[in-house]
Amino acid sequence: MRSLRTRATLATAVAAATAATLLVPGSSGATSTPTTATAAAAAAAADPNIPRVCADRRPEPADPGAYGMQLDGTFRHPALTPVDEEHEHSFPGRNKEYDTRSYIKNMKVEAAYEGADFTPDYFHTWQNIVDFDGRRYMFQYDRSEGRVYDITDVKKVRVVERMSRQDVDGDETKANGAWAAHDYWGASTIQWNKKLDAYVMVQSFEDKRQIQELTDDPAHDKYNNPEGVRKLREKPGLKGFKVFRLDGPRKKDWKLLATVSTDATQKDPLRSDPGTAQQGSGSLDTPYWTGQRYMFIATAPDDTYSGTEYPTNLHSAGYQSWDMADPAHPRLLDTWQLPGQRTGEDAAYRKNPRCGNRTSWMGARMPLFIPKPVEQGGRYAFAAMGGYGLTVLDISNPADMRTVSHLDLPPSVSGTEGDNIDVSQYERTGIVYYSGYPLTEDCYEPYKDVYQIDAKDPKNPRVVGVLPRPTPPPSAGITDYCQRRGSFGPKRTGSYTNPGRHSAGVLGYGFYNAGVQFFDVSDPAAPKIDAYFVPKAYGTGTPDYAYGNQTHGVYVEWDRNIAWVLTNHGIYALSSPKVLGKPDLNRPEKPFRTSEF
């Protein structure tokens, strides 16, 4: 959830702007004014990489009578909504207060850790596992806020490192005791590299998504705020990735091997100047790399990769492949994109039914999802690209990535329409699981189904079902999670970097106000929910603007059968002999080194 982070500082300005300009020129029922028309013209003239291929047809607010609780106790979602994360959207039957109770089925809470040390960020964090000297450590972080925990004993987790910029108000342009100016902890993969006989961490450096320069409000978004766009373009900082050797779990143990820019306009990607503005998005989210030769990242290499309607995002990311034979000298192999993603590809962009809606995220948010590494004979990769749908790529030759097939998914506006594909079951069943996630509270957007896609024939992927919608237990006193308040819908199923081998037939999704939900997909024709843990909505230290962003992550130690659940108030360690197997709460039998497939 993007703008809830900034609600405390932007609420007054946004409310005023929304009252002044509920709809922008070109919207259904809107009336053009000289001021907004002039701003739009100025924006078009000032920045050619703001997509204006189709006329503005931003969705109007949903009619309150067109969605809500039904007579049978189910919830009817609105069919179409604009981006609107700043406001409540109450409906008859919704709880008056956030729910401070918890619910559990076929799971056990082995330990719970609450407070600031276990909540680096209230909205989203990344996790990794490393093992040093017989101890197991978990990293939890999001940019300037990072923690390192000793989790060897699940019931006695210790904080061994804290990184923050709170003493400089979170300003990434300022150095402090933890960080150099413009430095932070980007989404990372950590794998064992045989050449160096050490862990190597590849860390993404990307556009910041929680920004002050642009907002979701029509009067202040990228289409009508050329000054905000200009400020974003001119921000200094690395767009790309960094490579570190890790000789221990703490930041002092990181040894920088390479700083790599993905800005295609740089003369040498290994010798760019992060003190100046760079083009493109940088490397998005967790790079795909298994410690071997080939790495795949999501990135927009320059500012012409602009084909996205999302009002605060300037770039539409495709994918790159990199040769990591020498981790200190990564080498670009290939760049892939869909037609319509770049400025000037108007005919292809116009074919997308989202063109002009000023709402949809279009392009990659995560790198390629790969069932089997190329080095082990893998051939296919799956791309989740939001409003562009799903694409199957042939990556058997990483220097020449090729499109195999494409599948358009039904529009689900607003919210993120598709950013995650779970491929853990593909080798066994040929099924992949494709999903987006909600951005608003109170279910004020279409529900984000988890699509079951049969890709046994990679040339002809097809939707064959959806995972069942979680429903609250009778003790909750409600019949649908939309009534519980907060966001409701799937986030992601953890990461390929989890230690151990993913269990067959098991998928665990963070589900926001529905906690963590474990699905049994051993029979793809009859998926079911086998276990869940729904924690309280917030803790004593959770600010009220984060109450709705409840369970936003799950990270499973498959080798110890422990699920770590990440929430807006802390971390829970869960076991489930029925679903995950007998838990090991102590030192793992062998250290995690490389992701298993």
Side-chain angles (χ1 to χ4, degrees):
M1 298 180 69
R2 189 202 66 83
S3 55
L4 283 179
R5 297 174 186 256
T6 57
R7 182 155 65 191
T9 57
L10 289 177
T12 302
V14 169
T18 303
T21 313
L22 184 60
L23 294 171
V24 299
S27 296
S28 177
T31 301
S32 296
T33 65
T35 300
T36 53
T38 301
D47 196 312
N49 293 313
I50 300 298
R52 300 177 185 277
V53 177
C54 296
D56 185 345
R57 52 186 187 87
R58 190 189 315 264
E60 293 189 48
D63 185 334
Y67 68 96
M69 296 304 299
Q70 306 294 287
L71 294 176
D72 63 357
T74 61
F75 182 86
R76 177 184 176 88
H77 285 257
L80 184 71
T81 52
V83 179
D84 184 3
E85 301 177 50
E86 298 292 348
H87 306 97
E88 292 185 10
H89 298 280
S90 185
F91 54 86
R94 189 198 74 166
N95 285 353
K96 291 183 179 180
E97 305 294 337
Y98 289 95
D99 189 355
T100 56
R101 296 171 295 172
S102 62
Y103 311 96
I104 195 165
K105 175 185 176 181
N106 289 333
M107 306 201 84
K108 177 183 178 182
V109 177
E110 298 290 352
Y113 303 95
E114 189 171 336
D117 274 341
F118 298 96
T119 319
D121 190 280
Y122 299 115
F123 291 88
H124 175 74
T125 55
W126 303 101
Q127 300 79 40
N128 296 98
I129 291 285
V130 292
D131 287 288
F132 285 101
D133 301 323
R135 310 295 296 177
R136 172 154 288 188
Y137 301 89
M138 182 168 71
F139 298 153
Q140 187 189 19
Y141 55 95
D142 183 52
R143 297 181 79 96
S144 296
E145 294 294 323
R147 309 288 188 268
V148 178
Y149 311 113
D150 184 333
I151 62 169
T152 309
D153 182 341
V154 171
K155 292 183 176 291
K156 297 180 180 179
V157 168
R158 296 185 300 110
V159 180
V160 299
E161 180 89 306
R162 299 174 181 84
M163 288 162 273
S164 178
R165 268 201 176 93
Q166 291 183 1
D167 61 322
V168 291
D169 298 322
D171 188 345
E172 289 182 356
T173 67
K174 297 179 180 178
N176 69 349
W179 302 105
H182 306 294
D183 199 14
Y184 57 86
W185 196 340
S188 302
T189 181
I190 300 174
Q191 304 285 337
W192 193 262
N193 181 259
K194 291 183 178 179
K195 178 177 180 178
L196 299 182
D197 195 31
Y199 285 116
V200 173
M201 173 169 63
V202 182
Q203 192 180 100
S204 286
F205 277 70
E206 62 177 287
D207 277 339
K208 190 174 184 180
R209 297 178 192 169
Q210 294 75 46
I211 55 177
Q212 301 284 344
E213 291 82 4
L214 302 174
T215 72
D216 300 336
D217 170 64
H220 198 248
D221 66 13
K222 69 182 182 183
Y223 299 99
N224 297 291
N225 182 8
E227 181 65 11
V229 172
R230 182 188 65 78
K231 288 180 178 179
L232 282 180
R233 300 280 195 215
E234 294 177 355
K235 274 191 172 182
L238 175 67
K239 302 287 186 67
F241 59 91
K242 291 185 179 181
V243 185
F244 296 88
R245 171 182 172 139
L246 302 189
D247 293 326
R250 296 169 179 82
K251 188 171 183 290
K252 66 181 179 61
D253 303 315
W254 300 359
K255 295 184 178 178
L256 182 63
L257 300 179
T259 298
V260 185
S261 176
T262 52
D263 176 1
T265 70
Q266 298 289 322
K267 292 182 179 179
D268 184 343
L270 273 66
R271 291 176 175 82
S272 69
D273 181 5
T276 61
Q278 298 190 4
Q279 286 199 36
S281 66
S283 174
L284 302 182
D285 292 355
T286 307
Y288 177 90
W289 184 55
T290 61
Q292 301 179 79
R293 182 167 183 178
Y294 300 113
M295 180 174 76
F296 300 87
I297 63 173
T299 187
D302 62 50
D303 290 346
T304 68
Y305 284 74
S306 61
T308 178
E309 291 291 318
Y310 200 75
T312 62
N313 180 38
L314 301 181
H315 299 108
S316 180
Y319 302 94
Q320 287 186 338
S321 54
W322 288 77
D323 188 330
M324 295 288 287
D326 180 358
H329 296 87
R331 184 168 61 89
L332 177 63
L333 296 175
D334 194 20
T335 300
W336 178 95
Q337 54 140 136
L338 282 171
Q341 285 195 264
R342 301 189 73 177
T343 299
E345 297 176 345
D346 294 5
Y349 192 74
R350 192 174 288 111
K351 292 178 181 178
N352 195 302
R354 298 159 184 83
C355 182
N357 73 14
R358 307 298 195 253
T359 303
S360 292
W361 183 288
M362 300 167 68
R365 288 181 73 123
M366 298 281 286
L368 293 171
F369 297 88
I370 302 173
K372 180 187 290 187
V374 173
E375 296 88 347
Q376 298 178 21
R379 180 176 180 181
Y380 297 109
F382 297 86
M385 303 189 72
Y388 287 116
L390 177 146
T391 299
V392 183
L393 280 72
D394 184 335
I395 59 167
S396 55
N397 177 6
D400 185 20
M401 297 185 287
R402 298 191 176 187
T403 301
V404 175
S405 60
H406 182 80
L407 177 66
D408 287 320
L409 278 299
S412 183
V413 181
S414 170
T416 301
E417 296 180 74
D419 85 318
N420 187 74
I421 304 176
D422 189 289
V423 296
S424 64
Q425 312 300 309
Y426 181 72
E427 293 293 305
R428 184 177 66 88
T429 67
I431 304 290
V432 299
Y433 296 82
Y434 177 103
S435 58
Y437 63 84
L439 287 174
T440 61
E441 294 190 21
D442 303 324
C443 295
Y444 185 67
E445 63 182 80
Y447 179 65
K448 299 301 178 280
D449 274 308
V450 180
Y451 291 100
Q452 298 173 278
I453 297 176
D454 185 339
K456 287 190 285 289
D457 178 1
K459 294 182 180 179
N460 295 287
R462 60 193 184 94
V463 175
V464 293
V466 297
L467 293 186
R469 178 189 179 107
T471 55
S475 60
I478 55 176
T479 56
D480 193 277
Y481 276 111
C482 290
Q483 297 172 274
R484 194 172 187 250
R485 300 200 59 172
S487 292
F488 168 61
K491 179 64 171 175
R492 296 169 183 156
T493 50
S495 173
Y496 75 93
T497 64
N498 305 49
R501 188 180 296 273
H502 197 122
S503 296
V506 177
L507 297 180
Y509 282 86
F511 237 88
Y512 290 104
N513 72 1
V516 59
Q517 301 276 331
F518 278 90
F519 294 82
D520 178 353
V521 294
S522 54
D523 178 2
K528 59 184 179 180
I529 296 171
D530 244 3
Y532 58 73
F533 171 63
V534 182
K536 59 187 179 183
Y538 59 89
T540 55
T542 309
D544 58 1
Y545 60 79
Y547 283 4
N549 192 71
Q550 296 168 24
T551 297
H552 48 75
V554 57
Y555 190 85
V556 180
E557 292 183 75
W558 297 103
D559 59 349
R560 292 202 296 176
N561 298 325
I562 295 293
W564 297 92
V565 175
L566 299 313
T567 77
N568 63 2
H569 58 274
I571 302 173
Y572 295 86
L574 305 176
S575 64
S576 178
K578 174 178 171 52
V579 175
L580 301 176
K582 182 180 178 180
D584 179 0
L585 305 181
N586 300 301
R587 173 177 170 176
E589 291 185 5
K590 63 178 183 178
F592 165 71
R593 288 292 182 256
T594 304
S595 296
E596 299 180 33
F597 295 88

